[in-house]
Amino acid sequence: MQSIDPNDHTPGITALANQPRKFNRAFFSTVWALAKPYFMESDERWKARGFLLAIIVLTLMLVFINLQITDWYNRFYNALQTYDQAGFWKLLGEFALLAFSAIALGVYQTYLTQLLDLRWRRWLTGDYLSRYLSAQTYYHMEIFKRGQDNPDQRIADDLNMFSQLTTSLFTGLLSAIANLVAFIGLLWFLSAKVVIPWHGTEHHIPGFLVWVALLYAVAWTWVAAKVGNPLIWLNFNQQRLQADFRFSLVRLRENSEAVALYAGEHKEEAQFKYRFDRVFDNYKRLILRQKRFNWFSSYFSQVAMILPFLAAASAYFAKAVPLGFLMQVSSAFGNVQSAFAYLAQSYDSFAQWHAVTDRLQGFRTLVTDVKTLQSSAPEIIQTQTATDAPKISVRGLSINLPDGRSLLKDFNIELVPGDRALIMGASGSGKSTLLRALAGIWPFGQGQIDLPNGEAKLFLPQRPYLPVGTLREAVLYPSMATGTPNDRIVTVLTQVGLPQLVEYLDDIEPWAHILSLGEQQRIAIARILLQQPILVFMDEATSALDETSETMLYQLIFAQLPKAAIVSVGHRTSLVPLHTRFLTLTDGRLTENH
C-alpha cells in the first residue's frame, strides 16, 4: 500500500489512510448523502426519477429476454441432436427476434443511463461550484485549511467519475439481482435431474447447482476482497498525485516569466520529476495490485465456464438428459453464478467508486468546516448603505491573523464623497489585510464597517485578475456589462495609455501572460473609469508604473469620478500629493496624520 508522505498535510488524507476502507454502512450512508439532493430535493428530481424508472424497466425486460434465450438453448440444441431441420430454422427465426429485442433494449438502457449520468453530473457540478464559490469559500479554504487536495480536480473529474460509476454500478447490481431472482428457480428445478456418482451410487442433492454457484461465488468474492481492497486507497492516491502533478505544470505556465528570469528551470524540472515519480510509484503499485486481482479474477471466471458441464456430465453421459438440457444448465448456471459473483467481478470498479466517494466527501466536509469556522470566527459586521450616501464608516475595527495574533486594534474612520485617503506603513504591517477586511473577505476580527452596496465599490489588488476570454471581457470584469458601447471602451483604453490594444478587443488570448504587470494595472484603472464606482480601494494598484504615469492615471480618476471616495495603499512618497488624508499603520495602530 502507498505510504503516506509525512510532509503531506492535506486535510483528511492521513485520517483516511488510517481508516478501514470497507463497504460498510458508513460508506453507503455517504453515497446516499451525495446522491439524495439530486434525486430527492433538486428541481430535476422528477425527471431523474423518470430516467431511473425507465432504466429499471429496461433492465428487467433484458433479464426476461435472457430467460427466454436460456430456454431457447434447450430447444435449439435438442433440435440439433435429433436432426430436426424444420425446428432448426424455426428456432433460428425465434432467436433473431430475441436477439433484436435484446439489442434494442440494451442500446436504450445504455443511452438512458449515460443521459442520466450526464444530467446528474451537470447538476452536481453546479451544486459543488455554488458551495465552493458562495461566501468566498474558495478563498477561506486557503486561509482556514491550507493545502486542501485540489478542489478543482474534485469538481472537474471526481464528480464525473462519481455519477458514472454510481449509475453503472447501480444498473449492474440491479441486473445481477434480477438475474438471480429469475434464474435461481430454474436452476433449482434443473438440479433435480443432476446425479452425483459416489462410491458406485447415484445421489441427488436438492438445488445442487445453486449451491455450487453460491459457494463458488462466495470463494471468488472473498479472494477479490482480500486481493482488491488495497485498490481503494491506491485509486484515491493516484487521483490526488496526478492532480498535484498537473497543478505544478499549470503553475509553471502561470509564472513562466518569473521562472525564466530566475533561470529556475532546473529547480522546476526537479520538482516535476519528484511529483511524477510519486505518480509513477503509486501507479506501479496500482497496476501490480490490479495484476494480482486480474489473475485471480480470470482464473475464477474461466473455471466458472466449465463447472456446470462438470456438474451435469454424469447425467448427460448416462443419457438421462439431452444435449439441450446440458446447454440450458450451462446458461442458467452462468447467470446465477454471475449474479452471485457480481461484486467480485466488479471489485475494481467498486474500489474506484469508493475512492471517488471518499474524495468528494472530503471536499464536502472541508466546505462545511470552513463555513463553521466562518460563523464561529469573531465577526466583522459589514452593512450596506444606499448608493445615494456613498460614505464609508468604520467603527471599532480590530483585525487578527488566523493564529489569533492581533494585527490592528480599535480603528475608526469615516470617509465621505471626494475623500482621498492614503494608508502607509512598513511592509508586513497589515495594510493589505486591512483592505481585505474592508472588502469583507477577511473574517478574523471584529467591529463594524458600513459600505455602499452592490457595484458601487471596486477593489483593485496589486496584480489585477484577468479572466480567460477576450480582452473586452477582461476590461469589463467583473461587471461584464455587455451593453458598454465599443467607442467608450476604445476611448478609455486610449486614456489609460493602451491604444495599441484596441484592435485586439475581441481576441481570446492568455492576457495575463501576454501583458506586462504595468499594462495589467492600466486595464484595472480602465475598469474604474468604465464602471464608475463611488468607492475605490487600490492596494498598490499602480506600483508597476512610473511616477509620471501613476500621477496621470490618478488625476484621470479624479477628473472622471470627482465624488468617489478613494482609499489607496502604497509606499511611494509620490502618492502623498495625490491624496487629502493620510493614515499610518504602526505597531497595530492606525493613526491619521494631519
Short mmCIF file of all heavy atoms in Angstrom, two decimals, residues 305-334:
data_model
loop_
_atom_site.label_atom_id
_atom_site.label_comp_id
_atom_site.label_asym_id
_atom_site.label_seq_id
_atom_site.Cartn_x
_atom_site.Cartn_y
_atom_site.Cartn_z
N MET A 305 -16.84 -21.37 -16.24
CA MET A 305 -17.41 -21.76 -17.52
C MET A 305 -17.59 -23.27 -17.62
O MET A 305 -18.52 -23.76 -18.28
CB MET A 305 -16.52 -21.26 -18.67
CG MET A 305 -16.47 -19.75 -18.78
SD MET A 305 -15.33 -19.20 -20.08
CE MET A 305 -16.11 -19.91 -21.53
N ILE A 306 -16.72 -24.03 -16.97
CA ILE A 306 -16.80 -25.49 -17.10
C ILE A 306 -17.51 -26.15 -15.92
O ILE A 306 -17.84 -27.34 -15.99
CB ILE A 306 -15.40 -26.11 -17.27
CG1 ILE A 306 -14.55 -25.87 -16.00
CG2 ILE A 306 -14.71 -25.53 -18.50
CD1 ILE A 306 -13.22 -26.62 -16.03
N LEU A 307 -17.75 -25.43 -14.84
CA LEU A 307 -18.39 -26.02 -13.66
C LEU A 307 -19.74 -26.66 -13.98
O LEU A 307 -20.00 -27.80 -13.56
CB LEU A 307 -18.55 -24.97 -12.56
CG LEU A 307 -17.39 -24.81 -11.58
CD1 LEU A 307 -17.72 -23.74 -10.54
CD2 LEU A 307 -17.06 -26.13 -10.89
N PRO A 308 -20.66 -25.98 -14.69
CA PRO A 308 -21.96 -26.61 -14.95
C PRO A 308 -21.83 -27.88 -15.79
O PRO A 308 -22.60 -28.84 -15.60
CB PRO A 308 -22.74 -25.53 -15.69
CG PRO A 308 -21.72 -24.62 -16.26
CD PRO A 308 -20.60 -24.63 -15.28
N PHE A 309 -20.86 -27.91 -16.74
CA PHE A 309 -20.67 -29.12 -17.53
C PHE A 309 -20.14 -30.26 -16.66
O PHE A 309 -20.55 -31.42 -16.81
CB PHE A 309 -19.70 -28.84 -18.69
CG PHE A 309 -20.24 -27.87 -19.70
CD1 PHE A 309 -19.81 -26.56 -19.72
CD2 PHE A 309 -21.19 -28.28 -20.63
CE1 PHE A 309 -20.30 -25.67 -20.65
CE2 PHE A 309 -21.68 -27.39 -21.57
CZ PHE A 309 -21.25 -26.08 -21.58
N LEU A 310 -19.24 -29.93 -15.74
CA LEU A 310 -18.74 -30.96 -14.83
C LEU A 310 -19.85 -31.49 -13.94
O LEU A 310 -19.94 -32.70 -13.68
CB LEU A 310 -17.61 -30.39 -13.97
CG LEU A 310 -16.30 -30.04 -14.69
CD1 LEU A 310 -15.34 -29.35 -13.72
CD2 LEU A 310 -15.66 -31.30 -15.27
N ALA A 311 -20.71 -30.56 -13.49
CA ALA A 311 -21.78 -30.96 -12.58
C ALA A 311 -22.82 -31.83 -13.27
O ALA A 311 -23.38 -32.76 -12.66
CB ALA A 311 -22.44 -29.71 -11.98
N ALA A 312 -23.10 -31.56 -14.55
CA ALA A 312 -24.16 -32.28 -15.27
C ALA A 312 -23.62 -33.37 -16.18
O ALA A 312 -24.39 -34.05 -16.88
CB ALA A 312 -24.99 -31.29 -16.09
N ALA A 313 -22.30 -33.57 -16.19
CA ALA A 313 -21.69 -34.53 -17.14
C ALA A 313 -22.20 -35.95 -16.90
O ALA A 313 -22.48 -36.70 -17.85
CB ALA A 313 -20.17 -34.47 -17.02
N SER A 314 -22.30 -36.35 -15.62
CA SER A 314 -22.71 -37.72 -15.32
C SER A 314 -24.10 -38.01 -15.87
O SER A 314 -24.34 -39.08 -16.47
CB SER A 314 -22.69 -37.95 -13.80
OG SER A 314 -21.37 -37.80 -13.30
N ALA A 315 -25.02 -37.09 -15.67
CA ALA A 315 -26.38 -37.29 -16.17
C ALA A 315 -26.41 -37.34 -17.70
O ALA A 315 -27.16 -38.14 -18.29
CB ALA A 315 -27.29 -36.18 -15.66
N TYR A 316 -25.58 -36.52 -18.33
CA TYR A 316 -25.58 -36.49 -19.80
C TYR A 316 -25.01 -37.79 -20.37
O TYR A 316 -25.59 -38.40 -21.29
CB TYR A 316 -24.77 -35.29 -20.29
CG TYR A 316 -24.64 -35.24 -21.81
CD1 TYR A 316 -25.72 -34.89 -22.61
CD2 TYR A 316 -23.43 -35.56 -22.42
CE1 TYR A 316 -25.61 -34.87 -24.00
CE2 TYR A 316 -23.31 -35.53 -23.80
CZ TYR A 316 -24.40 -35.17 -24.59
OH TYR A 316 -24.27 -35.15 -25.97
N PHE A 317 -23.86 -38.22 -19.84
CA PHE A 317 -23.23 -39.43 -20.37
C PHE A 317 -24.02 -40.69 -20.01
O PHE A 317 -23.87 -41.74 -20.65
CB PHE A 317 -21.79 -39.54 -19.91
CG PHE A 317 -20.89 -38.52 -20.56
CD1 PHE A 317 -20.27 -37.53 -19.81
CD2 PHE A 317 -20.68 -38.56 -21.94
CE1 PHE A 317 -19.46 -36.59 -20.42
CE2 PHE A 317 -19.85 -37.62 -22.54
CZ PHE A 317 -19.23 -36.63 -21.79
N ALA A 318 -24.84 -40.56 -18.98
CA ALA A 318 -25.74 -41.67 -18.66
C ALA A 318 -26.98 -41.64 -19.53
O ALA A 318 -27.88 -42.49 -19.37
CB ALA A 318 -26.13 -41.63 -17.18
N LYS A 319 -27.04 -40.66 -20.45
CA LYS A 319 -28.16 -40.47 -21.38
C LYS A 319 -29.48 -40.22 -20.65
O LYS A 319 -30.56 -40.51 -21.17
CB LYS A 319 -28.30 -41.68 -22.31
CG LYS A 319 -27.07 -41.89 -23.19
CD LYS A 319 -27.26 -43.05 -24.15
CE LYS A 319 -26.01 -43.23 -25.02
NZ LYS A 319 -26.15 -44.38 -25.97
N ALA A 320 -29.34 -39.64 -19.44
CA ALA A 320 -30.54 -39.29 -18.68
C ALA A 320 -31.11 -37.95 -19.13
O ALA A 320 -32.28 -37.65 -18.93
CB ALA A 320 -30.23 -39.25 -17.19
N VAL A 321 -30.27 -37.13 -19.74
CA VAL A 321 -30.70 -35.80 -20.21
C VAL A 321 -30.13 -35.57 -21.60
O VAL A 321 -29.06 -36.10 -21.94
CB VAL A 321 -30.23 -34.69 -19.24
CG1 VAL A 321 -30.89 -34.82 -17.88
CG2 VAL A 321 -28.72 -34.68 -19.11
N PRO A 322 -30.81 -34.77 -22.44
CA PRO A 322 -30.31 -34.50 -23.78
C PRO A 322 -29.29 -33.36 -23.77
O PRO A 322 -29.05 -32.71 -22.75
CB PRO A 322 -31.57 -34.10 -24.56
CG PRO A 322 -32.45 -33.48 -23.51
CD PRO A 322 -32.18 -34.26 -22.25
N LEU A 323 -28.71 -33.10 -24.96
CA LEU A 323 -27.72 -32.03 -25.10
C LEU A 323 -28.32 -30.67 -24.77
O LEU A 323 -27.66 -29.82 -24.16
CB LEU A 323 -27.16 -32.03 -26.53
CG LEU A 323 -26.15 -30.93 -26.87
CD1 LEU A 323 -24.90 -31.07 -26.01
CD2 LEU A 323 -25.80 -30.97 -28.36
N GLY A 324 -29.56 -30.45 -25.18
CA GLY A 324 -30.20 -29.16 -24.89
C GLY A 324 -30.27 -28.87 -23.41
O GLY A 324 -30.10 -27.73 -22.97
N PHE A 325 -30.52 -29.91 -22.60
CA PHE A 325 -30.55 -29.72 -21.15
C PHE A 325 -29.19 -29.25 -20.66
O PHE A 325 -29.08 -28.36 -19.81
CB PHE A 325 -30.93 -31.04 -20.47
CG PHE A 325 -30.80 -31.01 -18.98
CD1 PHE A 325 -31.82 -30.53 -18.19
CD2 PHE A 325 -29.63 -31.48 -18.37
CE1 PHE A 325 -31.69 -30.49 -16.80
CE2 PHE A 325 -29.50 -31.45 -16.99
CZ PHE A 325 -30.53 -30.95 -16.21
N LEU A 326 -28.13 -29.88 -21.20
CA LEU A 326 -26.78 -29.52 -20.77
C LEU A 326 -26.49 -28.05 -21.08
O LEU A 326 -25.92 -27.33 -20.25
CB LEU A 326 -25.77 -30.42 -21.47
CG LEU A 326 -24.33 -30.41 -20.91
CD1 LEU A 326 -24.33 -30.93 -19.48
CD2 LEU A 326 -23.42 -31.26 -21.79
N MET A 327 -26.90 -27.58 -22.27
CA MET A 327 -26.66 -26.18 -22.64
C MET A 327 -27.53 -25.24 -21.82
O MET A 327 -27.10 -24.14 -21.47
CB MET A 327 -26.92 -26.00 -24.14
CG MET A 327 -26.07 -26.89 -25.04
SD MET A 327 -24.29 -26.79 -24.68
CE MET A 327 -23.97 -25.07 -25.11
N GLN A 328 -28.75 -25.66 -21.52
CA GLN A 328 -29.62 -24.82 -20.69
C GLN A 328 -29.06 -24.71 -19.28
O GLN A 328 -29.09 -23.63 -18.67
CB GLN A 328 -31.03 -25.42 -20.65
CG GLN A 328 -32.04 -24.51 -19.93
CD GLN A 328 -33.43 -25.11 -19.90
OE1 GLN A 328 -33.60 -26.33 -20.01
NE2 GLN A 328 -34.45 -24.27 -19.78
N VAL A 329 -28.55 -25.81 -18.76
CA VAL A 329 -27.92 -25.77 -17.44
C VAL A 329 -26.73 -24.82 -17.45
O VAL A 329 -26.54 -24.02 -16.52
CB VAL A 329 -27.46 -27.19 -17.02
CG1 VAL A 329 -26.48 -27.12 -15.85
CG2 VAL A 329 -28.66 -28.02 -16.62
N SER A 330 -25.93 -24.89 -18.52
CA SER A 330 -24.77 -24.01 -18.62
C SER A 330 -25.18 -22.55 -18.60
O SER A 330 -24.59 -21.73 -17.90
CB SER A 330 -24.00 -24.33 -19.90
OG SER A 330 -22.95 -23.39 -20.10
N SER A 331 -26.23 -22.22 -19.38
CA SER A 331 -26.68 -20.82 -19.43
C SER A 331 -27.27 -20.38 -18.10
O SER A 331 -26.96 -19.30 -17.59
CB SER A 331 -27.72 -20.66 -20.54
OG SER A 331 -28.22 -19.34 -20.58
N ALA A 332 -28.13 -21.20 -17.51
CA ALA A 332 -28.76 -20.83 -16.23
C ALA A 332 -27.72 -20.72 -15.12
O ALA A 332 -27.74 -19.80 -14.30
CB ALA A 332 -29.82 -21.86 -15.86
N PHE A 333 -26.79 -21.70 -15.08
CA PHE A 333 -25.73 -21.66 -14.08
C PHE A 333 -24.88 -20.40 -14.24
O PHE A 333 -24.52 -19.75 -13.25
CB PHE A 333 -24.86 -22.90 -14.20
CG PHE A 333 -23.77 -22.98 -13.16
CD1 PHE A 333 -24.01 -23.61 -11.94
CD2 PHE A 333 -22.52 -22.42 -13.38
CE1 PHE A 333 -23.01 -23.69 -10.98
CE2 PHE A 333 -21.52 -22.49 -12.43
CZ PHE A 333 -21.77 -23.13 -11.22
N GLY A 334 -24.54 -20.07 -15.49
CA GLY A 334 -23.74 -18.87 -15.73
C GLY A 334 -24.41 -17.61 -15.23
O GLY A 334 -23.76 -16.73 -14.65
#
